[in-house]
């Protein structure tokens, strides 16, 4: 395939300190070329048009044209550029970040407020690294599908059918075997559990409003996010949805027609008290470097609901949820995975699909129908 081209990055922040920190961090990555900086939104849009970067780091809160308005202008002009937001750890910053993610930002980093510049740089470097690798991988796949890169036979043999390749994109038809053996539902589910990460807020903003007010079961979501941001996510989804959406609280009952989002920085699981299901929020150690963790929730769902559960694994980096899905599979639960074509990052659903443990692989806009069928149908 030859050498992979460097990612051209534009750094946008109204403070010189953060422009300097982010630029210095980015120079540590061998696949990055910094093509410029901008100290306000208006200049940023102008430089996106003139410099054609692949990716921008974008401050949410800027005077004049803020990060949200920059994203809206990117969408209006149909500019092909990825966006990683930098957000302050405040309620206002959380709400702006959720809006940015719903507008199509790839991911976000909370601005650190550590004691030294060195510590802040380390934090940003640790956060940016996985995001840049995932973004670069997705960009290369898009180049392949657009016919800008030749595809070795070995890669062709592993391309997933959910990518929906067209003949004219690669010049030939790829025939792939079926990968799933669907298992018919034996019982309707009494709970829905969702694990999701990068690309989650935008995907959930499309999924959750499609679920009916009378779905009749609780929906429990682990979205990888720090504190404050999950509260903003719940508020945003609640405003869009017929279901009640809230950040989960320790000890509250698990009620139907309610969506519970695990609070950032804490795990969420199901337990029982007096014969009723309740939510437990814990500070147990992170799993898969995540807290909240989908594995942590999924295991408790497998224990308390067994075959009367539906689990959905969606867009996101890493492998959180894999082990929990194995436990759910063993318990007879119904498993749904988001397809590669509609994932922002095809990380979390990749192994469950390839391991053939899921019952359904569905495009984002079809997941709601699969969920509804699983809770209403007994076969």
């Amino acid at each position: 395939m030859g050498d992979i081209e460097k990612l051209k990055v534009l750094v946008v922040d109204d403070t010189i300190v953060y422009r300097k920190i982010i630029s210095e961090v980015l120079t540590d990555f061998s696949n990055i070329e910094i093509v410029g900086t901008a100290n306000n939104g208006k200049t940023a849009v102008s430089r996106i048009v003139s410099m054609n970067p692949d990716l921008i780091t974008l401050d949410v809160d800027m005077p004049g044209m803020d990060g949200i308005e920059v994203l809206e202008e990117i969408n209006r002009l149909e500019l092909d550029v990825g966006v990683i937001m930098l957000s302050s750890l405040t309620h206002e910053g959380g709400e702006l970040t959720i809006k940015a993610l719903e507008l199509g930002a790839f991911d976000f980093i909370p601005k650190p407020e550590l004691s030294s510049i060195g510590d802040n740089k380390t934090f940003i470097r640790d956060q940016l690294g996985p995001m840049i690798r995932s973004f670069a991988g997705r960009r290369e796949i898009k180049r392949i599908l657009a016919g800008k890169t030749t595809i070795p036979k070995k890669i062709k043999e592993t391309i997933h059918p959910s990518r929906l390749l067209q003949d004219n994109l690669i010049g030939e038809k790829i025939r792939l075997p079926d990968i799933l053996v669907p298992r018919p539902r034996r019982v309707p589910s009494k709970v829905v559990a969702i694990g999701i990460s990068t690309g989650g807020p935008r995907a959930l903003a499309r999924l959750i409003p499609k679920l009916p007010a009378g779905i009749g079961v609780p929906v429990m979501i682990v979205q990888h996010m720090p504190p404050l941001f999950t509260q903003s996510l719940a508020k945003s989804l609640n405003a869009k949805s017929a279901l009640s959406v809230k950040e989960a609280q320790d000890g509250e009952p698990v009620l139907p027609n309610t969506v519970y989002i695990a609070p950032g920085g804490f795990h969420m699981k199901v337990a029982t008290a007096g014969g009723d299901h309740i939510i437990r929020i814990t500070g147990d150690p992170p799993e898969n470097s995540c807290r909240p963790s989908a594995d942590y929730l999924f295991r408790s769902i497998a224990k308390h609901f067994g075959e009367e559960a539906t689990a959905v694994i969606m867009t996101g980096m890493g492998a959180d949820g894999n082990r929990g899905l194995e436990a759910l599979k063993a318990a007879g639960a119904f498993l749904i995975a988001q397809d590669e074509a509609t994932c922002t990052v095809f990380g979390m659903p990749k192994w469950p699909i390839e391991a053939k443990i899921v019952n359904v692989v569905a495009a984002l806009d079809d997941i709601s129908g699969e969920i509804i069928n699983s809770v209403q149908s007994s076969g």
Side-chain angles (χ1 to χ4, degrees):
M1 292 175 64
D3 294 332
I4 295 176
E5 293 182 12
K6 287 190 175 184
L7 287 174
K8 296 184 295 182
V9 181
L10 176 71
V11 177
V12 183
D13 201 294
D14 66 318
T15 61
I16 189 169
V17 171
Y18 268 102
R19 289 199 304 276
K20 186 174 188 297
I21 288 175
I22 296 162
S23 296
E24 288 178 356
V25 167
L26 289 171
T27 58
D28 291 340
F29 296 102
S30 60
N31 64 329
I32 293 294
E33 175 190 355
I34 300 173
V35 295
T37 64
N39 63 0
N40 61 70
K42 188 174 180 181
T43 301
V45 173
S46 173
R47 291 184 178 169
I48 292 168
V49 172
S50 63
M51 295 177 173
N52 193 29
D54 302 299
L55 179 68
I56 67 172
T57 63
L58 179 62
D59 188 15
V60 170
D61 187 15
M62 296 184 294
M65 179 184 278
D66 64 18
I68 299 299
E69 292 170 309
V70 172
L71 275 166
E72 290 172 341
E73 192 67 2
I74 286 171
N75 290 340
R76 187 184 73 81
L77 297 173
E78 298 182 346
L79 301 175
D80 183 17
V81 61
V83 179
I84 294 176
M85 307 298 298
L86 275 87
S87 314
S88 58
L89 279 167
T90 64
H91 286 285
E92 182 182 7
E95 291 182 6
L96 289 172
T97 300
I98 296 303
K99 187 171 183 180
L101 295 169
E102 291 174 350
L103 283 169
F106 180 76
D107 211 334
F108 79 101
I109 297 171
K111 279 189 172 181
E113 297 177 354
L114 303 174
S115 57
S116 72
I117 290 178
D119 289 341
N120 288 328
K121 284 175 66 175
T122 298
F123 176 88
I124 290 175
R125 183 183 296 110
D126 291 345
Q127 296 286 310
L128 265 181
M131 293 179 191
I132 287 173
R133 286 192 293 273
S134 291
F135 181 83
R138 187 182 72 159
R139 176 176 171 270
E140 190 64 16
I141 288 171
K142 288 172 68 176
R143 285 172 56 82
I144 290 171
L145 297 182
K148 295 179 180 178
T149 305
T150 57
I151 310 174
K153 183 173 184 293
K154 182 180 289 187
I155 292 180
K156 285 185 181 181
E157 290 171 349
T158 62
I159 292 177
H160 192 273
S162 68
R163 202 174 285 165
L164 303 177
L165 297 175
Q166 300 175 20
D167 293 356
N168 63 345
L169 291 182
I170 60 171
E172 64 177 280
K173 191 83 162 180
I174 296 178
R175 181 176 178 81
L176 290 146
D178 293 333
I179 63 163
L180 300 173
V181 180
R183 176 180 64 80
R185 293 296 287 143
R186 292 191 294 273
V187 295
S189 293
K190 293 183 178 178
V191 68
V192 176
I194 298 173
I196 192 166
S197 186
T198 310
R202 193 178 196 189
L204 291 171
R206 286 168 62 176
L207 168 62
I208 301 302
K210 289 186 174 185
L211 299 177
I215 193 171
V217 300
V219 179
M220 308 186 73
I221 300 175
V222 164
Q223 160 74 64
H224 295 157
M225 275 187 163
L228 293 181
F229 293 90
T230 45
Q231 192 175 93
S232 297
L233 175 63
K235 181 178 177 181
S236 176
L237 290 175
N238 187 59
K240 297 178 174 69
S241 307
L243 293 168
S244 172
V245 184
K246 66 190 302 290
E247 189 179 63
Q249 296 180 311
D250 186 53
E252 70 177 312
V254 179
L255 302 175
N257 306 320
T258 305
V259 179
Y260 300 94
I261 298 178
F266 294 91
H267 289 305
M268 175 173 69
K269 67 180 179 179
V270 175
T272 55
D276 296 322
H277 290 118
I278 63 168
I279 289 174
R280 285 296 181 204
I281 304 299
T282 79
D284 289 344
E287 298 188 14
N288 311 303
S289 302
C290 300
R291 192 170 64 194
S293 161
D295 272 339
Y296 190 93
L297 171 64
F298 287 171
R299 287 198 306 272
S300 73
I301 296 291
K303 176 181 178 181
H304 291 282
F305 288 92
E307 65 176 353
E308 296 180 323
T310 292
V312 189
I313 192 75
M314 297 180 67
T315 177
M317 288 187 286
D320 187 36
N322 289 356
R323 301 285 78 82
L325 287 174
E326 285 186 313
L328 283 159
K329 178 73 172 181
F334 190 75
L335 309 184
I336 302 168
Q338 184 178 352
D339 72 357
E340 182 174 7
T342 60
C343 281
T344 299
V345 177
F346 188 56
M348 289 165 61
K350 186 174 188 291
W351 178 84
I353 291 173
E354 292 179 348
K356 306 180 184 180
I357 69 168
V358 298
N359 301 90
V360 174
V361 177
L364 174 57
D365 288 334
D366 296 329
I367 291 175
S368 57
E370 296 292 349
I371 289 173
I372 293 165
N373 288 340
S374 75
V375 303
Q376 293 180 348
S377 173
S378 59

